[in-house]
RNA sequence: GGCAGCGUAGCUCAGUUGGUGAGAGCGCCGGAUUCAUAACCCGGAGGUCGGCAGUUCAAAUCUGCCCGCUGCUACCA
């Protein structure tokens, strides 16, 4: 029976254009989703946008448009990016979707019914200009026009001690249960370094959480409490329930609980402390795992407008091709850690792995088949030591790949695949089929073994490079219905006509 | 400041509970080869395993100190 797998990305905050960080998250999550499908799992993949909150309201107002109109426009580049990058989501959720609003309010009422929400006052240093509270430690000292010493926000705007009515969530009551969760299931938070941080955070004691705002209205209204909108994270996190098919009358949709939330390391806290606490309060099952990925840096530097290194992932995909970008990000960046990218690194990596490795392996065998074997898959003989060694390397590589992918070590999985490529190219060179012109059967056998290695490799890289892998499998004569993990040992029958070879992974010429 | 972690070949990193000769990939150099996308294959280049001092028959792997770096340290997300 097919296993069900519900996977999500964090939802993006569309107060700007999508950047490489967004692309990285949806790509890696897509790879995992496709991998599960390849394994035969029944997958639900959710992604989308987080459209409420102060910053959106401010940005909309700055443009003099309605917030709804603003987000309707801002969401489009995110959709376009997903389409361009081949993101195979099942639903693109927007927190402004009608079904989501209803679910949020139901979730709220469940938490309230459990006695975890209470009305109190939130006090703090508030900047009217920024419409935001700041912690004492964030304030800087300055002087006003009269030369008097005053306290300023990090943006240099004046702040004043303000008291606002707010709903609070009894987060403080959940510390022990959260610690028990982390300790009872070490995989709940990954990587381990993040788990340690979150554990330390909880262990130091939790304060109750301000759950509503009255200073602006762009959010989900708190039921029965006019003037209050929900703290944006309540609304944002709840998207995973809505996306699972949850409704106001039944919070748990058919896909809940999530098997995996893939999120950036910067939002791990919200997903591993607030979110489980909310769910515990509402009496809803917890997600099984939260994975905090690292950030990808442009040449090792954080992207910033002042440095002038903000990269548009769509332009990048345009230049290099979607699959090259996907391959690079998955192969060159250790999943869970920060990584770095540059044009040079992408070209280098893709030329080495794709053009010289995977592509060349297929091409050298296919060319000989086209030339000397009438363009039909030759018969594979029983083979000798060389074939046995190759088979063993392929089996080991496949096992390593599966283990790594199951453990979310995507980069390790691809490393294992490259080991298979290396073994196959080694086998080809050692067998030297081009010297067997006098014995076409022997030559054909070597080619068949090499092509089968290519087939196995192409099968495994499908999650990362869907389009290229499909093109390669076409070249290899693999039937459309024989491309899942279950077909790993299904060799292409001898005699199968193979189309004229065409390089799937052309070498990238030196940058101009 | 507190807590956690890291610092191994030019680059990115592997190195279980301390023990035969310190590794991989990329890049680089040399060789071989010519089926292939000047790719593939083979070999090499030798890095005080951040520094110092210890524990031990034996430490990259344990302890202490020092230097450097990173992350977390809550209500913008």
């Amino acid at each position: 029976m097919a296993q069900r797998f519900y996977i999500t990305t964090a939802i993006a905050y569309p107060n700007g254009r999508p950047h490489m960080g967004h692309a990285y998250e949806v790509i890696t999550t897509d790879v995992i989703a496709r991998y599960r499908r390849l394994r035969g799992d029944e997958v639900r993949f959710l992604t989308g946008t987080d459209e409420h909150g102060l910053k959106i309201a401010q940005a909309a107002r700055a443009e003099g448009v309605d917030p709804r109109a603003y987000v309707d426009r801002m969401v489009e580049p995110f959709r376009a990016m997903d389409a361009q990058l081949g993101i195979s989501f099942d639903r693109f959720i927007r927190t402004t979707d009608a079904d989501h609003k209803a679910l949020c309010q139901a979730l709220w009422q469940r938490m309230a019914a459990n006695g975890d929400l209470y009305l109190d006052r939130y006090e703090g240093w508030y900047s009217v200009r920024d419409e935001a509270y700041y912690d004492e430690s964030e304030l800087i000292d300055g002087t006003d026009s009269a030369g008097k010493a005053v306290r300023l926000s990090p943006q240099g705007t004046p702040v004043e001690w303000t008291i606002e009515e707010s709903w609070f969530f009894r987060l403080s009551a959940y510390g022990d249960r959260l610690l028990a969760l982390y300790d009872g299931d070490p995989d709940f938070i990954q990587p381990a370094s993040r788990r340690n941080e979150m554990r330390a955070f909880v262990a130091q004691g939790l304060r109750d959480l301000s759950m509503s705002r009255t200073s602006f209205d762009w959010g989900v209204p708190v039921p029965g409490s006019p003037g209050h909108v929900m703290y944006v994270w309540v609304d944002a996190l709840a998207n995973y329930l809505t996306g699972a098919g949850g409704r106001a009358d039944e919070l748990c949709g058919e896909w809940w609980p999530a098997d995996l939330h893939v999120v950036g390391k910067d939002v791990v806290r919200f997903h591993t402390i607030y979110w489980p606490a909310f769910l515990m309060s509402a009496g809803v099952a917890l997600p099984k795992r939260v994975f905090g990925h690292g950030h990808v840096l442009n040449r090792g530097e954080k992207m910033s407008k002042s440095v002038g290194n903000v990269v548009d992932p769509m332009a990048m995909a345009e230049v290099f091709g979607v699959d090259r970008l996907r391959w690079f990000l998955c192969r060159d960046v250790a999943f869970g850690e920060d990584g770095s990218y540059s044009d040079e690194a992408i070209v280098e990596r893709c030329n080495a792995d794709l053009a010289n490795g995977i592509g060349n392996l297929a091409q050298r065998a296919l060319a000989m088949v086209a030339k000397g074997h009438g363009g039909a898959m030759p018969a594979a003989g029983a083979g000798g030591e060389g074939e046995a060694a190759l088979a063993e390397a392929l089996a080991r590589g496949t096992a390593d790949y599966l283990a790594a992918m199951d453990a979310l070590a995507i980069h390790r999985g691809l490393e294992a695949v490259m080991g298979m490529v290396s073994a196959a190219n080694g086998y080809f060179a050692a067998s030297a089929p081009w010297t067997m012109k006098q014995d076409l059967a022997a030559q054909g056998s070597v080619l068949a073994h090499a092509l089968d290695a290519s087939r196995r490799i192409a099968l495994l890289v499908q999650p990362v490079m869907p389009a290229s892998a499909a093109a390669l499998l076409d070249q290899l004569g693999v039937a459309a219905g024989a491309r899942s993990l279950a077909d790993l040992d299904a060799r292409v029958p001898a005699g199968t006509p193979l189309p004229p070879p065409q390089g799937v992974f052309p070498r990238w010429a030196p940058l101009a």
Side-chain angles (χ1 to χ4, degrees):
Chain A
M1 193 176 86
Q3 198 174 320
R4 289 161 66 90
F5 195 82
Y6 177 34
I7 182 172
T8 71
T9 66
I11 45 179
Y13 203 65
N15 62 340
R17 290 186 60 81
H19 54 65
M20 197 51 103
H22 295 114
Y24 180 63
E25 183 165 308
V26 293
I27 286 172
T28 52
T29 307
D30 182 64
V31 168
I32 296 167
R34 287 176 186 270
Y35 169 70
R36 302 304 298 212
R37 292 194 198 99
L38 189 68
R39 275 187 26 159
D41 291 357
E42 201 180 324
V43 174
R44 168 80 171 178
F45 175 12
L46 179 74
T47 190
T49 44
D50 174 18
E51 306 187 348
H52 290 306
L54 175 66
K55 292 205 169 168
I56 293 289
Q58 285 177 328
R61 195 179 53 194
E63 293 190 11
V65 300
D66 181 80
R68 177 71 207 209
Y70 176 79
V71 293
D72 282 348
R73 175 164 60 78
M74 297 301 282
V75 71
E76 288 314 318
F78 286 86
R79 288 189 192 279
M81 178 180 76
D82 283 358
Q84 186 186 357
L85 297 178
I87 306 307
S88 61
F89 59 80
D90 295 293
R91 174 171 174 181
F92 187 103
I93 191 170
R94 299 177 58 185
T95 54
T96 49
D97 288 343
D99 59 342
H100 180 62
K101 175 178 167 185
L103 180 134
C104 284
Q105 293 180 321
L107 175 66
W108 180 282
Q109 284 168 325
R110 287 274 283 273
M111 291 190 281
N114 198 43
D116 286 325
L117 296 175
Y118 63 92
L119 197 57
D120 202 340
R121 293 178 309 176
Y122 185 81
E123 302 182 28
W125 293 101
Y126 184 77
S127 161
V128 177
R129 188 119 34 107
D130 299 345
E131 285 196 52
Y133 282 93
Y134 295 100
D135 188 78
E136 182 93 36
S137 63
E138 295 181 277
L139 302 181
I140 55 177
D141 294 317
T143 53
D144 62 15
S145 52
K148 203 174 68 175
V150 294
R151 319 198 68 167
L152 301 173
S153 76
Q155 277 73 43
T157 59
V159 296
E160 54 189 279
W161 187 256
T162 305
I163 297 175
E164 180 183 2
E165 185 183 65
S166 172
W167 286 94
F168 279 80
F169 174 72
R170 288 189 206 285
L171 185 63
S172 59
Y174 286 87
D176 290 343
R177 288 215 259 166
L178 289 169
L179 291 177
L181 168 64
Y182 307 152
D183 295 341
D185 180 7
D187 284 341
F188 178 69
I189 305 174
Q190 289 187 311
S193 54
R194 298 292 152 204
R195 182 180 70 240
N196 292 340
E197 288 172 3
M198 292 308 111
R199 200 185 184 294
F201 183 89
V202 173
Q204 76 176 17
L206 295 170
R207 299 207 295 266
D208 286 350
L209 187 65
S210 171
M211 291 281 273
S212 70
R213 298 289 185 273
T214 56
S215 54
F216 60 94
D217 64 4
W218 182 239
V220 179
V222 171
S225 189
H228 287 259
V229 294
M230 294 182 197
Y231 172 43
V232 70
W233 270 104
V234 178
D235 160 28
L237 291 163
N239 95 82
Y240 303 127
L241 286 175
T242 306
R247 299 183 313 271
D249 59 335
E250 177 51 65
L251 296 180
C252 291
E254 60 165 320
W255 287 92
W256 193 256
D259 291 277
L260 177 63
H261 290 315
V262 176
V263 307
K265 64 179 184 180
D266 52 322
V267 292
V268 168
R269 195 176 72 227
F270 302 92
H271 286 81
T272 59
I273 297 177
Y274 299 174
W275 184 224
F278 294 167
L279 293 171
M280 286 174 184
S281 173
V284 174
L286 306 184
K288 295 180 186 148
R289 183 153 49 160
V290 177
F291 188 94
H293 67 249
H295 292 161
V296 285
L297 310 175
N298 186 340
R299 295 181 183 283
E301 291 183 332
K302 201 163 187 167
M303 281 193 294
S304 75
K305 285 171 187 163
S306 56
V307 179
N309 62 350
V310 176
V311 174
D312 176 0
M314 294 192 259
M316 203 116 182
E318 187 80 34
V319 171
F320 293 108
V322 173
D323 284 353
R324 275 204 192 84
L325 181 61
R326 291 174 61 112
W327 176 265
F328 175 81
L329 290 175
C330 292
R331 162 90 159 114
D332 219 63
V333 179
F335 195 47
E337 298 188 38
D338 287 350
S340 177
Y341 66 90
S342 66
D343 289 0
E344 293 76 9
I346 293 173
V347 169
E348 198 173 273
R349 180 93 264 165
C350 291
N351 277 347
D353 291 349
L354 306 182
N356 301 349
I358 297 173
N360 189 228
L361 170 65
Q363 189 68 10
R364 64 199 306 197
L366 285 172
M368 289 186 74
V369 168
K371 207 178 299 175
H373 296 264
M377 177 64 80
E385 282 179 36
E387 284 73 18
L390 173 62
E392 192 195 316
L394 294 174
R396 192 176 55 243
T398 301
D400 289 349
Y401 166 88
L402 295 173
M405 294 299 283
D406 284 343
L408 304 181
I410 299 172
H411 57 296
R412 295 269 178 243
L414 300 187
E415 190 177 24
V417 170
M418 289 314 299
M420 296 168 68
V421 175
S422 181
N425 267 322
Y427 162 77
F428 201 91
S431 303
W434 56 88
T435 64
M436 301 173 170
K437 289 179 184 130
Q438 74 295 344
D439 185 351
L440 283 183
Q443 181 186 67
S445 178
V446 170
L447 298 179
H449 280 103
L451 289 173
D452 193 58
S454 272
R455 181 186 62 83
R456 291 167 184 276
I457 289 159
L459 232 41
L460 300 185
V461 300
Q462 288 181 102
V464 183
M465 303 183 289
S468 305
L472 183 52
L473 288 166
D474 287 345
Q475 301 255 320
L476 295 169
V478 180
R483 301 183 176 185
S484 78
L485 279 190
D487 304 304
L488 211 47
D489 292 322
R491 309 180 71 112
V492 174
T496 302
L498 300 180
Q502 223 172 9
V504 174
F505 297 110
R507 184 177 178 80
W508 190 269
L511 291 170

